[in-house]
Amino acid sequence: MDEEEYERAAMLAEKYLDFQVLVDICQKTNNREKLNSYIEKFSDQGFSKFLFTWYIREHKQASLVQHCNERGGEQLVPLLSEQPSLSWLHDLALRQYRQAADTLTGLAQQETQLLQRKKSQLSLAKLALLASPDPCPGLEELNSALTLIAYQEQLPSTLLTSYGYDSDNMRLFSPSELIKLYISDENPASDDCITFTTALDVLSYVEHEQDRDELNSEIWTKAVLKDSWIDMDPNSPQSVVQQMFIFRLIDLCILRRCEDMVPSIEDLLACEELATLKENSTFLYLLQVGYEHFTKHTVMAM
């Protein structure tokens, strides 16, 4: 079509309020000025809403944000509130860093599917917050959320593969799922006490107290079962307990000053998974010796 034909088509589209044709003509002729004139001319007929929806439908989000930032696109800006995944870009263009950070933080809180998307939202929110001239409340919460992301990223790829997870398109795990993965027998790093201290760290992200208590019990039960207690020599208990997984884990907790995460011996023995083991006298004796050692070191550390 030549210019004259476009003009005739536009006249008809204006007459019958065919917004689709008007937008198509402006796009094909690359006439942003004309498009802005339609926004103004048909403001009462909902042209700006139609144009906004068209940008989204055609996957032209970048063009939409750019248009909002230009003169003539002012009527599109209020509609951005319906699209927080885009509105933060407009906020950045206007140097409204605090508002951009708040929007990105909200998006991250709602993200429950993809790890990388949540990480990007949190990282951008942190950068926007740091760029804001205002004080930075919320920075600690963002750092905490990014730490949880890092815990998931530290999971061995072999572990993820064994469970059939796609490491290139990783879904977001809940704190409870993370803990179970860290202490699972399939985790090649689960024989390291540091791995269990990480699981204990993740406990603080578990929302409900009952769930935290149950997971804490599961962590310590797993720690107990790392050793074959029945085969241990009860005649040299001090040297034996110092080599056992659970007491090495307890020592780490003492060093990290998080002794409150260590369950009492009574709570530990109440775990159903240890029902058979607690009938063994060697187990009970070594456990008692180990806890006495733990209590002694806790007092010395105070």
Side-chain angles (χ1 to χ4, degrees):
M1 294 176 66
D2 57 28
E3 185 176 347
E4 187 175 338
E5 289 176 313
Y6 277 125
E7 285 290 337
R8 287 199 298 269
M11 288 176 61
L12 285 172
E14 288 183 41
K15 179 179 180 180
Y16 294 104
L17 300 180
D18 192 334
F19 294 161
Q20 181 65 61
V21 171
L22 292 177
V23 172
D24 287 343
I25 291 173
C26 291
Q27 288 296 309
K28 290 176 180 177
T29 58
N30 195 27
N31 195 334
R32 179 63 64 82
E33 184 178 349
K34 192 67 174 177
L35 190 61
N36 288 337
S37 73
Y38 290 143
I39 293 176
E40 184 67 29
K41 183 175 182 178
F42 299 116
S43 60
D44 294 336
Q45 286 76 32
F47 183 84
S48 58
K49 176 66 174 178
F50 177 88
L51 180 59
F52 185 93
T53 304
W54 179 86
Y55 274 124
I56 299 297
R57 186 176 66 247
E58 297 296 320
H59 305 291
K60 295 181 179 291
Q61 287 87 344
S63 297
L64 169 60
V65 174
Q66 182 182 2
H67 198 168
C68 289
N69 295 335
E70 296 174 354
R71 181 176 297 178
E74 294 85 358
Q75 290 191 37
L76 296 172
V77 173
L79 299 172
L80 277 176
S81 61
E82 302 173 9
Q83 297 285 334
S85 60
L86 298 177
S87 65
W88 65 271
L89 290 167
H90 178 66
D91 293 332
L92 288 181
L94 298 180
R95 299 182 183 276
Q96 295 176 348
Y97 299 118
R98 178 76 216 194
Q99 187 169 332
D102 290 343
T103 300
L104 284 161
T105 300
L107 288 170
Q109 290 171 345
Q110 295 170 17
E111 179 58 51
T112 59
Q113 299 299 317
L114 294 177
L115 175 71
Q116 194 56 49
R117 185 160 58 200
K118 189 179 185 76
K119 180 182 180 181
S120 297
Q121 291 164 342
L122 290 169
S123 299
L124 288 168
K126 181 178 178 179
L127 288 173
L129 200 59
L130 291 172
S132 173
D134 304 322
C136 293
L139 189 59
E140 185 176 345
E141 289 79 1
L142 286 173
N143 284 332
S144 177
L146 284 167
T147 298
L148 184 60
I149 294 289
Y151 286 143
Q152 179 166 341
E153 291 180 325
Q154 291 165 12
L155 287 170
S157 58
T158 53
L159 170 65
L160 298 173
T161 301
S162 69
Y163 279 96
Y165 294 121
D166 181 3
S167 56
D168 294 327
N169 193 30
M170 183 57 59
R171 78 169 180 84
L172 190 66
F173 296 140
S174 68
S176 297
E177 289 176 312
L178 271 181
I179 290 170
K180 290 178 181 294
L181 284 169
Y182 263 102
I183 65 175
S184 69
D185 294 333
E186 289 77 12
N187 184 1
S190 66
D191 290 333
D192 189 339
C193 288
I194 297 295
T195 299
F196 272 65
T197 61
T198 301
L200 290 171
D201 289 338
V202 178
L203 275 176
S204 63
Y205 292 92
V206 178
E207 184 176 357
H208 300 295
E209 183 178 359
Q210 182 177 347
D211 293 336
R212 282 198 303 274
D213 291 342
E214 290 176 356
L215 286 165
N216 191 48
S217 295
E218 187 172 346
I219 291 170
W220 288 100
T221 299
K222 278 275 192 179
V224 169
L225 297 175
K226 281 289 181 181
D227 292 296
S228 178
W229 295 74
I230 298 175
D231 298 330
M232 297 297 176
D233 181 8
N235 295 316
S236 51
Q238 291 292 343
S239 60
V240 169
V241 297
Q242 290 180 26
Q243 302 302 316
M244 301 189 77
F245 189 92
I246 183 174
F247 297 117
R248 288 190 285 119
L249 178 58
I250 289 176
D251 282 340
L252 271 179
C253 288
I254 295 173
L255 287 172
R256 299 170 77 235
R257 298 191 178 278
C258 55
E259 302 92 334
D260 57 323
M261 305 189 82
V262 180
S264 67
I265 191 170
E266 293 79 15
D267 288 342
L268 192 61
L269 289 173
C271 296
E272 293 182 8
E273 293 83 352
L274 303 181
T276 301
L277 193 57
K278 69 182 181 182
E279 295 177 359
N280 182 273
S281 58
T282 300
F283 166 70
L284 292 174
Y285 174 62
L286 292 175
L287 190 67
Q288 185 66 44
V289 171
Y291 261 82
E292 288 175 357
H293 176 77
F294 158 62
T295 303
K296 177 182 177 181
H297 278 70
T298 302
V299 172
M300 292 175 61
M302 293 177 61

